[in-house]
């Protein structure tokens, strides 16, 4: 089945550091990637939708200058948390869908294993 | 707007017990419905899905039926195992006008603990 690889799986860094998280689709072309944030014991909150070759669409309340998203190719999207602070500590998860997997509302997204970000 | 509501957890069961996790939704039109499972420290895996009313999704002994009249998509399994211990998320994917958005809206998740 479709596989999405997310890297790194865990990051611990000092306050003020910028952190980049990569999301790769390994066996399909991901025309759309989604970035979620999950707080402990809480559901996933969609942060932004990333379409290859165009600017990401951010959900209300998500700072686009804080969470930079780049989707430069059909297999790679990156999320950069700029000048991270302790309140940015969270579990970040990406997912991907494509024309081949159907896209649209009736096809599942394929999820990465997540990145646990801890800011000291 | 669209939303998903799941039963509060955690749900604690003994092995081989019957499982039900309730999920209800609010949506315009005819969304697709999904159950995802998240094992500790991992991302989400699709468990099953249903795309129209009265569809039944099933996988690994789990089942859920798309009930439009009650706007529900309850997850059931006849006999749970310790390995089923995880967090289960109900989700919907809807439409905006005539376009498929592909966006998933998740319920809050229900933790299942199965004891031997």
């Amino acid at each position: 089945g479709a596989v999405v690889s997310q890297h790194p799986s865990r990051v611990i860094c000092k306050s003020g550091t910028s952190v980049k998280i990569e999301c790769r689709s390994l066996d399909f072309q991901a025309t759309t990637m989604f970035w979620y944030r999950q707080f402990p014991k809480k559901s996933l909150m969609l942060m932004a939708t990333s379409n290859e070759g165009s600017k990401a669409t951010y959900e209300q309340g998500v700072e686009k200058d804080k969470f930079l998203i780049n989707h430069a190719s059909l297999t790679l999207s990156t999320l950069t948390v700029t000048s991270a602070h302790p309140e940015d500590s969270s579990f970040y998860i990406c997912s991907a869908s494509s024309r081949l997997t159907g896209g649209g509302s009736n096809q599942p997204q394929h999820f990465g294993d997540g990145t646990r970000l801890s800011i000291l | 707007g669209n939303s998903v509501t799941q039963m509060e957890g955690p749900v604690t069961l003994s092995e081989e017990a019957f499982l039900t996790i309730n999920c209800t939704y609010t949506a315009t039109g005819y969304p697709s419905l999904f159950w995802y499972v998240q094992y500790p420290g991992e991302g989400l895996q699709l468990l099953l899905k249903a795309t129209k009313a009265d569809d039944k999704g099933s996988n690994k002994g789990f089942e859920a039926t798309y009930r439009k009249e009650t706007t529900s998509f309850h997850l059931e399994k006849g006999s749970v195992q310790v390995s089923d211990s995880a967090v289960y998320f109900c989700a919907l994917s809807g439409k905006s006008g005539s376009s498929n958005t592909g966006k998933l809206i998740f319920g809050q998740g229900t933790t299942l603990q199965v004891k031997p």
Side-chain angles (χ1 to χ4, degrees), chain B residues 4 6 23-24 34-36 73 88-92 105-107 109:
Chain B
V4 176
Q6 287 180 237
C23 172
T24 56
F34 306 85
W35 276 100
Y36 282 86
F73 192 55
Y88 292 81
F89 291 94
C90 184
L92 72 80
I105 296 172
F106 288 90

Side-chain angles (χ1 to χ4, degrees), chain B residues 8-112:
Chain B
E8 292 275 339
V11 173
T12 303
L13 296 173
S14 297
E15 206 164 24
E16 298 185 2
F18 184 85
L19 168 72
T20 300
I21 300 178
N22 290 339
C23 172
T24 56
Y25 68 91
T26 301
T28 55
Y30 301 93
S32 295
L33 301 174
F34 306 85
W35 276 100
Y36 282 86
V37 58
Q38 184 179 31
Y39 297 101
E42 298 183 10
L44 274 67
Q45 300 175 26
L46 178 65
L47 183 60
L48 54 85
K49 69 173 185 176
T51 58
K52 61 182 186 295
D54 300 324
D55 264 4
K56 177 186 283 189
S58 62
N59 185 26
K60 299 180 182 178
F62 291 89
E63 293 183 341
T65 301
Y66 190 142
R67 300 284 188 202
K68 188 173 185 300
E69 63 276 13
T70 54
T71 61
S72 65
F73 192 55
H74 304 322
L75 182 68
E76 296 182 336
K77 185 173 186 181
S79 176
V80 293
Q81 305 300 312
V82 173
S83 58
D84 293 326
S85 298
V87 181
Y88 292 81
F89 291 94
C90 184
L92 72 80
S93 179
K95 293 184 177 182
S96 175
S98 60
S99 301
N100 291 326
T101 67
K103 289 184 181 180
L104 284 173
I105 296 172
F106 288 90
Q108 65 268 43
T110 302
T111 299
L112 170 65

Side-chain angles (χ1 to χ4, degrees), chain A residues 35-39 42-48 59-62 93, chain B residues 106:
Chain A
W35 287 95
Y36 296 87
R37 182 173 180 176
Q38 185 179 30
F39 293 96
K42 298 290 186 183
S43 187
L44 280 75
M45 179 191 77
L46 178 65
M47 299 174 66
E59 296 299 304
Q60 191 172 9
V62 178
I93 306 176
Chain B
F106 288 90

